[in-house]
Amino acid sequence: MYVRTVLGDIDISNIGHCQCHEHIYLEKGYSEKVNKVLCIDDYNKSLEELKHYYSNGGRTIVDAQPIGCGRSSQKLVNLSMKSRVNIIASTGFHKLIFYPSDHWIFKVNTEFFAELMTKEIEDGMFVNSDLNYPRQQINAKAGMIKVACDVQGLDNTYKKYLLGAANVAINTGVSIQCHIEKANTAENIVNYLLEIGVDAKSIILAHMDRSIEHLKENLSVAKKGIYMQYDTIGRFKYHSDEEEINFIKEMCDKGFENNILLGLDTTRARLLSYDGTIGLSYIREHFMENLKVNGFKNKQLDSFFIKNPIKALSKK
Ligand SMILES: [Zn+2]
């Protein structure tokens, strides 16, 4: 089994501590106009953050920014080389509010978009291509398909892109990670992917812990065998870490310990090198200890940060 990183395919034994949804570097552009915390464009600060993560025992991250909205394939390669942190880059699409109305993503059909994502996974990612249709490729490949739905959940506009992404996941064996805006929209999205034929073990739902009161919705999708990614740790506008830990405990008590992935969904607001609040190493430095104080065993931590990521991220 192997995982596709920006520096090539690596054996799963080299994954180590992994956070499955982060943002470490973005090119200046439209994303930061939509949300100013997406201004993460200082290469040296991003490198500093990753080096700190490595020195704290962090070994792998998934960079969850897809093509066409600020992702820089070449900078991710350089950052990985210099920091020694494995970076799994994403192809796919974000919420459509992150693209200006004349963006190429609104002009492609399902098949064409699927072909583009396949090229990113099998041949090499395109260079930064926010303004023009992507043409120039580098050797580094994407190892994740990031997709998104907005508050309304699965509508015809998003279905068009999601269908393409689902087919690419089936054909390449790379997992799909879906940004969920509202927990009650998740079931329809998961059912749609499963109906197309995506393996449950290739589906990761992101942000389902933003509203931890939605335990019922979390349980009903987790039962389908997919991965539940809780990446709202340290985002105190949503809830405290203690509430997050209780929520994780409830999911474990219901039998979903092997489905849980964790991360911070970092932006400028939380990256320490950008004067943010907690830093990419917050989990290693604080949250893991907090889990242990609250009764979690080392074996469970290994599942959340090593074993489950390996299963969720390896190319099938
Ligand atoms: Zn994110």
Side-chain angles (χ1 to χ4, degrees):
M1 278 164 72
Y2 64 95
V3 169
R4 182 149 287 182
T5 78
V6 295
L7 298 186
D9 295 343
I10 61 168
D11 187 82
I12 54 167
S13 59
N14 296 317
I15 290 297
H17 174 96
C18 176
Q19 295 174 196
C20 293
H21 185 124
E22 308 297 351
H23 301 273
I24 193 63
Y25 178 87
L26 287 180
E27 291 290 351
K28 208 171 215 28
Y30 193 74
S31 291
E32 67 173 269
K33 286 189 188 143
V34 177
N35 188 344
K36 63 180 189 310
V37 299
L38 296 174
C39 175
I40 321 176
D41 60 354
D42 187 321
Y43 174 83
N44 289 325
K45 287 181 180 173
S46 296
L47 179 58
E48 187 190 323
E49 193 82 31
L50 282 170
K51 282 182 169 172
H52 190 66
Y53 179 69
Y54 190 88
S55 70
N56 275 288
R59 290 292 177 269
T60 303
I61 62 162
V62 174
D63 184 274
Q65 197 72 16
I67 182 175
C69 53
R71 186 201 69 191
S72 169
S73 45
Q74 188 59 53
K75 291 272 179 20
L76 292 178
V77 170
N78 298 350
L79 286 166
S80 180
M81 257 179 337
K82 295 275 187 224
S83 68
R84 301 169 67 192
V85 173
N86 305 311
I87 299 180
I88 298 161
S90 303
T91 187
F93 62 93
H94 211 325
K95 284 195 299 183
L96 296 174
I97 56 159
F98 286 113
Y99 307 94
S101 58
D102 58 348
H103 195 282
W104 55 263
I105 202 159
F106 296 111
K107 295 167 194 154
V108 296
N109 64 23
T110 299
E111 292 70 29
F112 202 80
F113 191 51
E115 204 177 301
L116 183 133
M117 290 186 279
T118 304
K119 281 182 189 161
E120 289 229 302
I121 294 164
E122 301 294 20
D123 303 334
M125 286 183 284
F126 291 92
V127 297
N128 187 33
S129 46
D130 293 6
L131 300 175
N132 302 311
Y133 181 76
R135 292 187 197 286
Q136 192 192 341
Q137 282 171 286
I138 61 172
N139 289 327
K141 296 165 185 169
M144 165 67 65
I145 306 164
K146 163 77 178 290
V147 301
C149 284
D150 213 330
V151 281
Q152 74 274 27
L154 189 66
D155 63 9
N156 284 335
T157 307
Y158 279 96
K159 265 187 184 174
K160 167 182 146 179
Y161 298 103
L162 212 51
L163 174 61
N167 285 325
V168 176
I170 293 166
N171 293 332
T172 63
V174 161
S175 293
I176 286 191
Q177 171 166 165
C178 186
H179 170 114
I180 300 290
E181 194 70 30
K182 292 261 178 247
N184 62 5
T185 64
E187 184 136 13
N188 267 343
I189 294 166
V190 173
N191 286 343
Y192 183 66
L193 293 173
L194 292 173
E195 277 162 25
I196 296 167
V198 182
D199 182 353
K201 289 284 169 231
S202 294
I203 301 173
I204 300 167
L205 290 193
H207 317 321
M208 285 293 284
D209 56 335
R210 284 191 186 174
S211 45
I212 51 175
E213 67 276 16
H214 287 135
L215 183 67
K216 191 165 69 67
E217 284 82 354
N218 274 269
L219 290 171
S220 71
V221 281
K223 276 184 198 138
K224 297 174 193 288
I226 62 165
Y227 289 98
M228 307 298 290
Q229 180 180 273
Y230 299 138
D231 46 36
T232 311
I233 296 162
R235 300 194 72 180
F236 305 121
K237 71 172 181 181
Y238 290 105
H239 47 69
S240 70
D241 280 354
E242 280 62 38
E243 290 168 300
E244 174 97 41
I245 287 171
N246 284 335
F247 174 76
I248 295 171
K249 203 181 270 179
E250 284 200 73
M251 290 301 290
C252 288
D253 289 347
K254 297 278 196 266
F256 296 110
E257 183 178 313
N258 297 326
N259 299 62
I260 292 174
L261 307 172
L262 301 175
L264 299 169
D265 195 5
T266 46
T267 62
R268 183 186 192 93
R270 286 183 296 292
L271 292 168
L272 272 184
S273 58
Y274 287 86
D275 297 323
T277 50
I278 57 170
L280 186 62
S281 303
Y282 178 76
I283 286 178
R284 301 272 322 167
E285 289 177 319
H286 303 285
F287 191 74
M288 288 172 86
E289 191 53 38
N290 208 347
L291 283 170
K292 284 189 207 170
V293 167
N294 282 280
F296 283 86
K297 304 279 178 268
N298 283 331
K299 187 175 158 289
Q300 290 176 294
L301 269 58
D302 279 353
S303 296
F304 300 154
F305 296 109
I306 303 172
K307 286 189 187 152
N308 299 347
I310 283 173
K311 286 183 289 173
L313 302 173
S314 57
K315 202 163 179 284
K316 294 168 183 83

